[in-house]
Structure formats: structure tokens, C-alpha cells
mmCIF file of all heavy atoms in Angstrom:
data_model
loop_
_atom_site.group_PDB
_atom_site.id
_atom_site.type_symbol
_atom_site.label_atom_id
_atom_site.label_comp_id
_atom_site.label_asym_id
_atom_site.label_seq_id
_atom_site.Cartn_x
_atom_site.Cartn_y
_atom_site.Cartn_z
ATOM 1 N N THR A 1 137.598 110.788 105.977
ATOM 2 C CA THR A 1 136.299 111.428 105.699
ATOM 3 C C THR A 1 135.955 111.486 104.214
ATOM 4 O O THR A 1 134.797 111.103 103.859
ATOM 5 C CB THR A 1 136.258 112.826 106.300
ATOM 6 O OG1 THR A 1 136.489 112.740 107.718
ATOM 7 C CG2 THR A 1 134.899 113.478 106.062
ATOM 8 N N PRO A 2 136.847 111.898 103.326
ATOM 9 C CA PRO A 2 136.479 111.922 101.900
ATOM 10 C C PRO A 2 136.092 110.555 101.364
ATOM 11 O O PRO A 2 135.161 110.422 100.542
ATOM 12 C CB PRO A 2 137.717 112.473 101.224
ATOM 13 C CG PRO A 2 138.448 113.220 102.271
ATOM 14 C CD PRO A 2 138.159 112.479 103.562
ATOM 15 N N VAL A 3 136.829 109.506 101.814
ATOM 16 C CA VAL A 3 136.524 108.167 101.319
ATOM 17 C C VAL A 3 135.161 107.721 101.832
ATOM 18 O O VAL A 3 134.349 107.153 101.101
ATOM 19 C CB VAL A 3 137.617 107.173 101.803
ATOM 20 C CG1 VAL A 3 137.249 105.753 101.372
ATOM 21 C CG2 VAL A 3 138.976 107.563 101.226
ATOM 22 N N LEU A 4 134.842 108.017 103.095
ATOM 23 C CA LEU A 4 133.555 107.674 103.668
ATOM 24 C C LEU A 4 132.409 108.373 102.951
ATOM 25 O O LEU A 4 131.412 107.765 102.589
ATOM 26 C CB LEU A 4 133.545 108.043 105.165
ATOM 27 C CG LEU A 4 132.174 107.851 105.881
ATOM 28 C CD1 LEU A 4 131.750 106.387 105.836
ATOM 29 C CD2 LEU A 4 132.268 108.388 107.316
ATOM 30 N N LEU A 5 132.564 109.668 102.732
ATOM 31 C CA LEU A 5 131.513 110.435 102.063
ATOM 32 C C LEU A 5 131.273 109.971 100.633
ATOM 33 O O LEU A 5 130.156 109.819 100.187
ATOM 34 C CB LEU A 5 131.858 111.941 102.101
ATOM 35 C CG LEU A 5 131.836 112.595 103.486
ATOM 36 C CD1 LEU A 5 132.275 114.058 103.396
ATOM 37 C CD2 LEU A 5 130.434 112.514 104.119
ATOM 38 N N ALA A 6 132.387 109.767 99.900
ATOM 39 C CA ALA A 6 132.256 109.314 98.531
ATOM 40 C C ALA A 6 131.616 107.937 98.459
ATOM 41 O O ALA A 6 130.742 107.669 97.623
ATOM 42 C CB ALA A 6 133.634 109.290 97.873
ATOM 43 N N GLY A 7 132.041 107.037 99.357
ATOM 44 C CA GLY A 7 131.481 105.703 99.392
ATOM 45 C C GLY A 7 129.996 105.715 99.729
ATOM 46 O O GLY A 7 129.189 104.996 99.116
ATOM 47 N N ALA A 8 129.627 106.501 100.740
ATOM 48 C CA ALA A 8 128.230 106.570 101.142
ATOM 49 C C ALA A 8 127.362 107.114 100.005
ATOM 50 O O ALA A 8 126.265 106.601 99.760
ATOM 51 C CB ALA A 8 128.103 107.467 102.378
ATOM 52 N N ALA A 9 127.856 108.130 99.322
ATOM 53 C CA ALA A 9 127.110 108.686 98.192
ATOM 54 C C ALA A 9 126.953 107.658 97.087
ATOM 55 O O ALA A 9 125.874 107.544 96.463
ATOM 56 C CB ALA A 9 127.824 109.939 97.667
ATOM 57 N N ALA A 10 127.999 106.897 96.850
ATOM 58 C CA ALA A 10 127.948 105.878 95.810
ATOM 59 C C ALA A 10 126.929 104.781 96.151
ATOM 60 O O ALA A 10 126.215 104.286 95.275
ATOM 61 C CB ALA A 10 129.342 105.272 95.603
ATOM 62 N N VAL A 11 126.896 104.394 97.439
ATOM 63 C CA VAL A 11 125.965 103.357 97.857
ATOM 64 C C VAL A 11 124.527 103.796 97.728
ATOM 65 O O VAL A 11 123.683 103.120 97.145
ATOM 66 C CB VAL A 11 126.269 102.927 99.321
ATOM 67 C CG1 VAL A 11 125.180 101.974 99.837
ATOM 68 C CG2 VAL A 11 127.619 102.245 99.413
ATOM 69 N N VAL A 12 124.212 105.003 98.291
ATOM 70 C CA VAL A 12 122.841 105.482 98.263
ATOM 71 C C VAL A 12 122.375 105.760 96.817
ATOM 72 O O VAL A 12 121.311 105.292 96.380
ATOM 73 C CB VAL A 12 122.706 106.746 99.111
ATOM 74 C CG1 VAL A 12 121.294 107.371 98.975
ATOM 75 C CG2 VAL A 12 123.008 106.442 100.569
ATOM 76 N N GLY A 13 123.183 106.504 96.086
ATOM 77 C CA GLY A 13 122.820 106.838 94.717
ATOM 78 C C GLY A 13 122.705 105.599 93.816
ATOM 79 O O GLY A 13 121.785 105.476 93.023
ATOM 80 N N GLY A 14 123.657 104.681 93.997
ATOM 81 C CA GLY A 14 123.651 103.471 93.188
ATOM 82 C C GLY A 14 122.477 102.565 93.471
ATOM 83 O O GLY A 14 121.878 102.027 92.552
ATOM 84 N N ALA A 15 122.127 102.405 94.735
ATOM 85 C CA ALA A 15 121.017 101.543 95.097
ATOM 86 C C ALA A 15 119.686 102.084 94.554
ATOM 87 O O ALA A 15 118.869 101.332 93.995
ATOM 88 C CB ALA A 15 120.918 101.407 96.616
ATOM 89 N N ILE A 16 119.500 103.408 94.671
ATOM 90 C CA ILE A 16 118.279 104.022 94.139
ATOM 91 C C ILE A 16 118.251 103.907 92.618
ATOM 92 O O ILE A 16 117.201 103.603 91.999
ATOM 93 C CB ILE A 16 118.179 105.492 94.579
ATOM 94 C CG1 ILE A 16 118.001 105.587 96.088
ATOM 95 C CG2 ILE A 16 117.023 106.203 93.873
ATOM 96 C CD1 ILE A 16 118.043 106.985 96.641
ATOM 97 N N SER A 17 119.391 104.144 91.966
ATOM 98 C CA SER A 17 119.465 104.084 90.517
ATOM 99 C C SER A 17 119.170 102.654 90.027
ATOM 100 O O SER A 17 118.422 102.487 89.041
ATOM 101 C CB SER A 17 120.848 104.530 90.057
ATOM 102 O OG SER A 17 120.981 104.366 88.648
ATOM 103 N N MET A 18 119.730 101.666 90.679
ATOM 104 C CA MET A 18 119.481 100.285 90.286
ATOM 105 C C MET A 18 118.035 99.908 90.442
ATOM 106 O O MET A 18 117.430 99.262 89.579
ATOM 107 C CB MET A 18 120.364 99.351 91.104
ATOM 108 C CG MET A 18 121.834 99.347 90.736
ATOM 109 S SD MET A 18 122.146 98.688 89.064
ATOM 110 C CE MET A 18 121.577 97.007 89.257
ATOM 111 N N ALA A 19 117.418 100.354 91.551
ATOM 112 C CA ALA A 19 116.015 100.039 91.796
ATOM 113 C C ALA A 19 115.127 100.685 90.729
ATOM 114 O O ALA A 19 114.221 100.012 90.185
ATOM 115 C CB ALA A 19 115.609 100.521 93.193
ATOM 116 N N LEU A 20 115.403 101.916 90.432
ATOM 117 C CA LEU A 20 114.586 102.624 89.398
ATOM 118 C C LEU A 20 114.774 101.965 88.047
ATOM 119 O O LEU A 20 113.789 101.803 87.273
ATOM 120 C CB LEU A 20 114.977 104.094 89.336
ATOM 121 C CG LEU A 20 114.554 104.974 90.519
ATOM 122 C CD1 LEU A 20 115.127 106.371 90.373
ATOM 123 C CD2 LEU A 20 113.034 105.039 90.610
ATOM 124 N N GLY A 21 116.001 101.640 87.716
ATOM 125 C CA GLY A 21 116.277 100.988 86.429
ATOM 126 C C GLY A 21 115.545 99.672 86.284
ATOM 127 O O GLY A 21 114.948 99.376 85.222
ATOM 128 N N GLU A 22 115.629 98.844 87.309
ATOM 129 C CA GLU A 22 114.929 97.550 87.289
ATOM 130 C C GLU A 22 113.417 97.732 87.207
ATOM 131 O O GLU A 22 112.736 97.024 86.492
ATOM 132 C CB GLU A 22 115.284 96.726 88.525
ATOM 133 C CG GLU A 22 116.645 96.057 88.448
ATOM 134 C CD GLU A 22 116.711 94.983 87.403
ATOM 135 O OE1 GLU A 22 115.673 94.380 87.062
ATOM 136 O OE2 GLU A 22 117.804 94.727 86.856
ATOM 137 N N TYR A 23 112.908 98.688 87.968
ATOM 138 C CA TYR A 23 111.454 98.909 87.979
ATOM 139 C C TYR A 23 110.969 99.296 86.602
ATOM 140 O O TYR A 23 109.963 98.753 86.088
ATOM 141 C CB TYR A 23 111.080 99.989 88.975
ATOM 142 C CG TYR A 23 109.580 100.221 89.042
ATOM 143 C CD1 TYR A 23 108.751 99.385 89.798
ATOM 144 C CD2 TYR A 23 109.002 101.246 88.314
ATOM 145 C CE1 TYR A 23 107.383 99.562 89.825
ATOM 146 C CE2 TYR A 23 107.619 101.441 88.334
ATOM 147 C CZ TYR A 23 106.835 100.598 89.099
ATOM 148 O OH TYR A 23 105.469 100.774 89.119
ATOM 149 N N VAL A 24 111.638 100.230 85.939
ATOM 150 C CA VAL A 24 111.248 100.669 84.612
ATOM 151 C C VAL A 24 111.355 99.545 83.587
ATOM 152 O O VAL A 24 110.452 99.303 82.785
ATOM 153 C CB VAL A 24 112.120 101.873 84.153
ATOM 154 C CG1 VAL A 24 111.845 102.213 82.692
ATOM 155 C CG2 VAL A 24 111.818 103.094 85.031
ATOM 156 N N SER A 25 112.490 98.832 83.649
ATOM 157 C CA SER A 25 112.723 97.733 82.689
ATOM 158 C C SER A 25 111.700 96.629 82.833
ATOM 159 O O SER A 25 111.075 96.176 81.864
ATOM 160 C CB SER A 25 114.136 97.195 82.900
ATOM 161 O OG SER A 25 114.334 96.054 82.069
ATOM 162 N N VAL A 26 111.478 96.172 84.077
ATOM 163 C CA VAL A 26 110.566 95.049 84.292
ATOM 164 C C VAL A 26 109.097 95.488 84.086
ATOM 165 O O VAL A 26 108.267 94.706 83.655
ATOM 166 C CB VAL A 26 110.767 94.444 85.690
ATOM 167 C CG1 VAL A 26 109.779 93.339 85.956
ATOM 168 C CG2 VAL A 26 112.188 93.908 85.816
ATOM 169 N N SER A 27 108.816 96.756 84.381
ATOM 170 C CA SER A 27 107.465 97.254 84.144
ATOM 171 C C SER A 27 107.158 97.197 82.631
ATOM 172 O O SER A 27 106.027 96.858 82.233
ATOM 173 C CB SER A 27 107.321 98.680 84.635
ATOM 174 O OG SER A 27 107.331 98.728 86.048
ATOM 175 N N SER A 28 108.125 97.578 81.803
ATOM 176 C CA SER A 28 107.937 97.506 80.381
ATOM 177 C C SER A 28 107.702 96.071 79.923
ATOM 178 O O SER A 28 106.847 95.807 79.080
ATOM 179 C CB SER A 28 109.164 98.100 79.649
ATOM 180 O OG SER A 28 109.331 99.468 80.001
ATOM 181 N N GLN A 29 108.483 95.138 80.484
ATOM 182 C CA GLN A 29 108.295 93.739 80.156
ATOM 183 C C GLN A 29 106.914 93.226 80.572
ATOM 184 O O GLN A 29 106.236 92.542 79.824
ATOM 185 C CB GLN A 29 109.379 92.882 80.827
ATOM 186 C CG GLN A 29 109.254 91.401 80.553
ATOM 187 C CD GLN A 29 110.277 90.573 81.298
ATOM 188 O OE1 GLN A 29 111.256 91.102 81.841
ATOM 189 N NE2 GLN A 29 110.047 89.281 81.364
ATOM 190 N N ARG A 30 106.519 93.630 81.774
ATOM 191 C CA ARG A 30 105.194 93.193 82.276
ATOM 192 C C ARG A 30 104.085 93.765 81.411
ATOM 193 O O ARG A 30 103.128 93.057 81.062
ATOM 194 C CB ARG A 30 105.005 93.682 83.716
ATOM 195 C CG ARG A 30 103.660 93.350 84.341
ATOM 196 C CD ARG A 30 103.404 94.156 85.556
ATOM 197 N NE ARG A 30 103.441 95.602 85.281
ATOM 198 C CZ ARG A 30 103.279 96.522 86.210
ATOM 199 N NH1 ARG A 30 103.119 96.201 87.481
ATOM 200 N NH2 ARG A 30 103.333 97.810 85.860
ATOM 201 N N ASP A 31 104.181 95.043 81.016
ATOM 202 C CA ASP A 31 103.155 95.649 80.185
ATOM 203 C C ASP A 31 103.055 94.961 78.835
ATOM 204 O O ASP A 31 101.964 94.762 78.290
ATOM 205 C CB ASP A 31 103.464 97.152 79.982
ATOM 206 C CG ASP A 31 103.318 97.940 81.283
ATOM 207 O OD1 ASP A 31 102.701 97.414 82.233
ATOM 208 O OD2 ASP A 31 103.855 99.068 81.329
ATOM 209 N N SER A 32 104.204 94.588 78.282
ATOM 210 C CA SER A 32 104.234 93.857 77.010
ATOM 211 C C SER A 32 103.559 92.520 77.137
ATOM 212 O O SER A 32 102.779 92.083 76.269
ATOM 213 C CB SER A 32 105.669 93.692 76.501
ATOM 214 O OG SER A 32 106.269 94.945 76.240
ATOM 215 N N GLU A 33 103.847 91.788 78.223
ATOM 216 C CA GLU A 33 103.249 90.474 78.439
ATOM 217 C C GLU A 33 101.741 90.598 78.608
ATOM 218 O O GLU A 33 100.976 89.800 78.067
ATOM 219 C CB GLU A 33 103.879 89.808 79.648
ATOM 220 C CG GLU A 33 105.319 89.377 79.444
ATOM 221 C CD GLU A 33 105.893 88.749 80.688
ATOM 222 O OE1 GLU A 33 105.282 88.794 81.772
ATOM 223 O OE2 GLU A 33 106.996 88.164 80.579
ATOM 224 N N ARG A 34 101.289 91.581 79.357
ATOM 225 C CA ARG A 34 99.869 91.777 79.558
ATOM 226 C C ARG A 34 99.157 92.139 78.260
ATOM 227 O O ARG A 34 98.042 91.713 78.002
ATOM 228 C CB ARG A 34 99.643 92.854 80.610
ATOM 229 C CG ARG A 34 99.941 92.377 82.027
ATOM 230 C CD ARG A 34 99.731 93.487 83.052
ATOM 231 N NE ARG A 34 99.882 92.973 84.406
ATOM 232 C CZ ARG A 34 99.851 93.740 85.510
ATOM 233 N NH1 ARG A 34 99.647 95.051 85.375
ATOM 234 N NH2 ARG A 34 100.010 93.216 86.700
ATOM 235 N N ALA A 35 99.831 92.944 77.429
ATOM 236 C CA ALA A 35 99.236 93.329 76.136
ATOM 237 C C ALA A 35 99.080 92.082 75.242
ATOM 238 O O ALA A 35 98.060 91.933 74.544
ATOM 239 C CB ALA A 35 100.116 94.378 75.442
ATOM 240 N N LEU A 36 100.078 91.204 75.266
ATOM 241 C CA LEU A 36 99.995 89.999 74.448
ATOM 242 C C LEU A 36 98.889 89.074 74.966
ATOM 243 O O LEU A 36 98.183 88.437 74.166
ATOM 244 C CB LEU A 36 101.352 89.250 74.507
ATOM 245 C CG LEU A 36 102.501 89.906 73.738
ATOM 246 C CD1 LEU A 36 103.801 89.228 74.036
ATOM 247 C CD2 LEU A 36 102.222 89.893 72.226
ATOM 248 N N ILE A 37 98.723 88.994 76.281
ATOM 249 C CA ILE A 37 97.665 88.188 76.864
ATOM 250 C C ILE A 37 96.291 88.716 76.471
ATOM 251 O O ILE A 37 95.408 87.936 76.042
ATOM 252 C CB ILE A 37 97.801 88.143 78.393
ATOM 253 C CG1 ILE A 37 99.037 87.364 78.782
ATOM 254 C CG2 ILE A 37 96.550 87.487 79.022
ATOM 255 C CD1 ILE A 37 99.390 87.453 80.271
ATOM 256 N N ASP A 38 96.108 90.038 76.526
ATOM 257 C CA ASP A 38 94.835 90.641 76.127
ATOM 258 C C ASP A 38 94.577 90.424 74.650
ATOM 259 O O ASP A 38 93.438 90.159 74.253
ATOM 260 C CB ASP A 38 94.869 92.146 76.458
ATOM 261 C CG ASP A 38 94.856 92.421 77.949
ATOM 262 O OD1 ASP A 38 94.460 91.521 78.713
ATOM 263 O OD2 ASP A 38 95.257 93.539 78.328
#
């Protein structure tokens, strides 16, 4: 049980964290590209 709970928490938390990190990072890159285009 402890291994299952710890692993499940790591999977859920990690997936959400990675998604948020990528979204913020790529959004900044996209905004910079759009600013240069304008």
C-alpha cells in the first residue's frame, strides 16, 4: 500500500507539474515570437 500510494501521487503530481511547466515555457516562447512578428 505505501508503495502504491507514493507511486500514484508521484504520477499524478508529476504529470500535472510537467504539463504546467511546458505550458508556461512554450507560452512565453510563443508570445516572444508573436511580438517579433508584430
Side-chain angles (χ1 to χ4, degrees):
T1 302
V3 177
L4 174 62
L5 292 177
V11 172
V12 174
I16 294 174
S17 176
M18 287 294 297
L20 288 175
E22 281 293 333
Y23 181 82
V24 171
S25 174
V26 177
S27 290
S28 298
Q29 179 184 346
R30 178 196 59 183
D31 293 343
S32 296
E33 290 179 350
R34 287 179 174 175
L36 289 171
I37 292 171
D38 291 340

